Amino acid sequence: MRIRITQQIKNSINGLGNKTARKSGLKVYTALYLRYDRKNKHGYFDCPSTYLKKINSRYYKVIDQFIKDGIIKYQTNLKPDTEDVFAPAVITKNYSPEHGYCMKYRFLINIEDGEEIEVDFIADKEYRWYRIIKSSLNELGYEVNISRDSFGRRVYHTVLNNYKTELRGKDLYVIDSVTSQPRLLYLIMKNRKVVDTNYNRIFENELLDIYDYIASELKL
């Protein structure tokens, strides 16, 4: 995987100790770098501890080093130290497992100006979809180049744009799921007993391709 890294970050990672610690530091930085695509307008991006633990169980040592070296900061809250609303406010980390939101970090330096390097790191390595695509590309003899965008979470890979011609004549079946995302939404709604009459009737009556139906209704 190719990432960008500045000299300041290299210096911080090199300050972690032995070679094993430095390799862990690079992997934790790569994990943060990948989440950076999901930043909000203030530059903060979600980064759950469960995600970082899968990279390295002692990830917090790297995070502490990056904070100390002025590379990242975490989002904070100002709240009273006690139940007394008149008590002086204290700064706390802004996360809550109970309410379903995790830690947010922000880079304090411009990482996009860094040098591009190759890192031995598999994005989303715990997910089955990544392993399946990787093994398929290897089996077919293609370069393994897999990524996922930060908005729609669509998966991109080496033969995505020309798979119909590339895979023709290789004794393979090509399955192209038509309107799969709207239909999956319908099935999820149905499973959770969420009723939207106008939306459901499209799939219950197999009226049309949903996009054709929308175009027809809106007279596009």
Side-chain angles (χ1 to χ4, degrees):
M1 175 171 291
R2 299 193 71 77
I3 65 167
R4 290 193 172 274
I5 187 168
T6 68
Q7 187 59 50
Q8 184 179 348
I9 296 169
K10 284 184 180 180
N11 293 341
S12 183
I13 290 172
N14 285 332
L16 287 168
N18 60 29
K19 185 178 180 180
T20 301
R22 295 196 300 272
K23 285 177 70 175
S24 297
L26 180 56
K27 288 195 173 184
V28 170
Y29 168 69
T30 303
L32 293 170
Y33 179 90
L34 293 174
R35 305 291 292 197
Y36 174 71
D37 275 349
R38 309 180 190 189
K39 64 184 181 297
N40 62 24
K41 65 180 180 180
H42 303 296
Y44 285 98
F45 52 90
D46 289 341
C47 198
S49 59
T50 50
Y51 169 67
L52 292 174
K53 280 177 184 174
K54 288 174 182 174
I55 308 303
N56 189 284
S57 60
R58 303 177 75 185
Y59 73 90
Y60 53 87
K61 289 184 176 293
V62 182
I63 294 293
D64 287 346
Q65 183 75 25
F66 286 168
I67 291 171
K68 175 186 170 187
D69 292 338
I71 292 168
I72 61 170
K73 67 178 291 188
Y74 52 77
Q75 195 171 45
T76 57
N77 265 334
L78 272 177
K79 58 171 65 172
D81 193 20
T82 68
E83 298 266 339
D84 182 2
V85 295
F86 298 106
V90 294
I91 297 175
T92 62
K93 293 180 180 178
N94 185 32
Y95 73 100
S96 173
E98 297 83 9
H99 295 96
Y101 59 92
C102 61
M103 286 285 290
K104 286 181 170 60
Y105 296 94
R106 178 164 72 89
F107 281 107
L108 298 175
I109 59 175
N110 185 5
I111 62 172
E112 294 172 9
D113 282 345
E115 169 195 0
E116 192 172 71
I117 63 169
E118 188 78 33
V119 179
D120 180 18
F121 186 94
I122 298 176
D124 291 329
K125 64 181 180 180
E126 71 273 22
Y127 293 116
R128 186 168 173 265
W129 65 264
Y130 189 97
R131 297 196 303 271
I132 290 172
I133 296 173
K134 181 181 177 183
S135 64
S136 298
L137 292 174
N138 282 329
E139 183 73 21
L140 294 166
Y142 292 100
E143 177 188 2
V144 175
N145 188 356
I146 306 168
S147 62
R148 200 170 191 181
D149 71 48
S150 59
F151 178 70
R153 306 301 292 142
R154 184 177 183 184
V155 176
Y156 297 90
H157 56 75
T158 314
V159 292
L160 177 68
N161 295 323
N162 55 355
Y163 66 91
K164 291 183 179 179
T165 54
E166 282 286 318
L167 304 181
R168 183 177 294 143
K170 296 188 178 180
D171 297 324
L172 298 167
Y173 289 98
V174 173
I175 301 172
D176 194 354
S177 302
V178 178
T179 66
S180 58
Q181 291 185 344
R183 185 170 293 273
L184 287 171
L185 174 59
Y186 160 68
L187 293 172
I188 291 169
M189 289 166 61
K190 187 176 179 181
N191 184 54
R192 297 183 181 178
K193 295 183 172 50
V194 176
V195 177
D196 184 318
T197 307
N198 290 331
Y199 190 81
N200 291 358
R201 67 187 289 264
I202 299 170
F203 300 98
E204 289 168 356
N205 299 307
E206 299 293 339
L207 294 178
L208 284 170
D209 174 289
I210 186 172
Y211 302 117
D212 289 340
Y213 176 77
I214 292 170
S216 173
E217 288 292 302
L218 297 178
K219 296 180 173 54
L220 300 177

